[in-house]
Amino acid sequence: MQTRVLTAEESQQRKRYYGEIGAHYMTPLWEVLGALVPNEPKPIAQAAMWRYEDVRRHVMDAGALITAAEAERRVLILENPALLGQSCITNSLYAGLQLILPGEVAPAHRHTQSALRLVLDGEGAYTAVDGEKTTMYRGDFIITPAWTWHDHGNLGQEPVVWLDGLDIPMLRFLDAGFAEKSEATSQAEVRPEGDALARYGANMVPVGFAQTSAEPTRVFVYPWKKTREALHSIARSGAPDAHLGFKQRFVNPATGASPMPTIGAFVQHIPAGFETRAYRSTDGTVLVCLEGSGQVEVGQHCFDIAENDVVVVPSWQRLRVRAGKNALNLFSYSDRPVQQALGLWREERL
Ligand code: GTQ
């Protein structure tokens, strides 16, 4: 709306009119058009960091407060400071830190929300997805696609913490959430551990197997050991991209699409001392530091990051990453595949 100074009478007249139409649940577009159709993304979400060293103690304290069985999932939600009360880290994505103590089980359930786990702290836990277990090692990226049964347990001697990334806000927006609890606390083992990786994650698929890009991958664990080896091999030959360092996208190996249709996942190696040039994209992104330390600059904010720290980069905010004395290995996830499927995704190298 072009703004001009209104006379007192005109103001009164409009206010009266807005009141009249308000009684019929109508409101004038011209008062809000600029906000509804912005020139560029103006996210409400803000850049923020959760320093693992600062929050770990509070995550552990939850272990004395409630059992995994009672909580169903013992998770501290990471809420964007500008979106408090909405259980989201960006408009479309959720993040949480889940704790499971030795001997505990987080009972089997399934839901239409898709989830990823990034293992951060402790050893000996497992996740079972549709009847196959995977032991969780630090840095492993594990998925539980929409409507797959999943339960978690800890057979080890120490508390285990991982980051949960889900599309909860997206499903809420679409009103497409369904969930179901299993009668069995833990799923019966249908296939031995490693079966999915052997069948679908060894540069082969069963002959005749075909998927569409909307179907999630049958590979449900991307072991950090393999990812890390690949990243380091890549980094040994060739120069880093000025804006991204060495950045790889996780895929469904059978289709090349993202592992799950709603959430994209990435891993990035920034060599020691390297500083990326400013970059922005429309997919609000959650970054997790797996190795090394350095700085992450998001718009006006600058965060010193170390292992297990989580940073949220809202849509279209300028991002620069600087690695310290040791190389940085960063994991990230975003709603990029959704934006790309709809022809909306944009990036800019500054
Ligand atoms: O592990 O199934 O952080 O259902 C939120 C909802 C984790 C899970 C979360 C969930 C889960």
Side-chain angles (χ1 to χ4, degrees), residues 170-178:
M170 228 185 280
L171 277 270
R172 181 170 56 198
F173 174 77
L174 298 169
D175 271 336
F178 292 87

Side-chain angles (χ1 to χ4, degrees), residues 41 90 92-93 247 262-266 279-286 312-317 319 332-340 344-348:
T90 69
S92 62
L93 293 169
K247 188 167 182 179
T262 51
I263 311 178
F266 311 86
Y279 171 88
R280 61 181 177 176
S281 61
T282 51
D283 50 327
T285 299
V286 180
V312 58
V313 184
S315 167
W316 216 233
Q317 304 271 304
L319 170 67
S332 57
Y333 68 96
S334 78
D335 60 13
R336 188 177 303 185
V338 176
Q339 296 198 23
Q340 288 179 323
L344 299 173
W345 185 71
R346 291 196 196 191
E347 64 177 339
E348 190 174 34

Side-chain angles (χ1 to χ4, degrees), residues 73 75 94 98 109 111 117 150 152 164 166 168:
R73 296 295 184 263
V75 178
Y94 161 105
Q98 180 157 177
H109 70 191
H111 38 70
R117 332 277 167 197
H150 52 284
H152 319 292
D164 284 322
L166 287 92
I168 286 172

Side-chain angles (χ1 to χ4, degrees), residues 137-349:
Y137 300 98
R138 184 168 182 281
D140 286 357
F141 160 46
I142 295 162
I143 63 167
T144 55
W147 211 240
T148 54
W149 291 106
H150 52 284
D151 55 87
H152 319 292
N154 186 343
L155 304 171
Q157 309 298 316
E158 52 193 45
V160 174
V161 177
W162 63 79
L163 182 86
D164 284 322
L166 287 92
D167 55 10
I168 286 172
M170 228 185 280
L171 277 270
R172 181 170 56 198
F173 174 77
L174 298 169
D175 271 336
F178 292 87
E180 198 173 14
K181 288 181 194 185
S182 172
E183 268 156 35
T185 307
S186 300
Q187 296 173 68
E189 191 163 296
V190 174
R191 287 175 303 277
E193 177 159 5
D195 188 79
L197 261 183
R199 278 179 211 276
Y200 303 97
N203 300 321
M204 301 178 285
V205 291
V207 65
F209 177 73
Q211 281 191 304
T212 67
S213 61
E215 288 174 282
T217 175
R218 297 288 183 89
V219 172
F220 66 97
V221 55
Y222 297 76
W224 176 237
K225 189 173 183 295
K226 289 187 81 174
T227 303
R228 186 176 191 280
E229 276 170 17
L231 266 183
H232 284 252
S233 291
I234 294 165
R236 270 195 295 274
S237 63
D241 179 274
H243 295 84
L244 302 171
F246 298 96
K247 188 167 182 179
Q248 299 281 108
R249 173 171 73 84
F250 287 99
V251 297
N252 175 346
T255 62
S258 61
M260 300 183 288
T262 51
I263 311 178
F266 311 86
V267 70
Q268 196 170 3
H269 178 88
I270 311 291
F274 189 79
E275 183 172 340
T276 63
R277 298 177 66 172
Y279 171 88
R280 61 181 177 176
S281 61
T282 51
D283 50 327
T285 299
V286 180
L287 286 177
V288 190
C289 178
L290 277 177
E291 286 182 11
S293 59
Q295 276 97 43
V296 175
E297 228 178 86
V298 187
Q300 307 303 314
H301 302 258
C302 188
F303 305 107
D304 284 314
I305 55 157
E307 282 186 8
N308 292 354
D309 293 350
V310 179
V311 173
V312 58
V313 184
S315 167
W316 216 233
Q317 304 271 304
R318 284 157 196 259
L319 170 67
R320 295 188 75 187
V321 183
R322 208 171 301 122
K325 278 204 278 296
N326 300 315
L328 270 176
N329 284 326
L330 304 175
F331 172 88
S332 57
Y333 68 96
S334 78
D335 60 13
R336 188 177 303 185
V338 176
Q339 296 198 23
Q340 288 179 323
L342 303 176
L344 299 173
W345 185 71
R346 291 196 196 191
E347 64 177 339
E348 190 174 34
R349 285 153 199 265

Side-chain angles (χ1 to χ4, degrees), residues 36-82:
L36 291 185
V37 188
N39 296 334
E40 58 174 33
K42 295 194 171 68
I44 295 168
Q46 68 184 56
M49 169 168 79
W50 289 262
R51 198 187 301 279
Y52 193 67
E53 194 183 89
D54 294 343
V55 301
R56 182 180 192 275
R57 173 167 71 85
H58 300 296
V59 174
M60 294 300 165
D61 284 349
L65 205 69
I66 189 167
T67 63
E70 187 192 347
E72 190 166 340
R73 296 295 184 263
R74 190 203 287 115
V75 178
L76 300 190
I77 301 171
L78 307 185
E79 286 204 304
N80 192 289

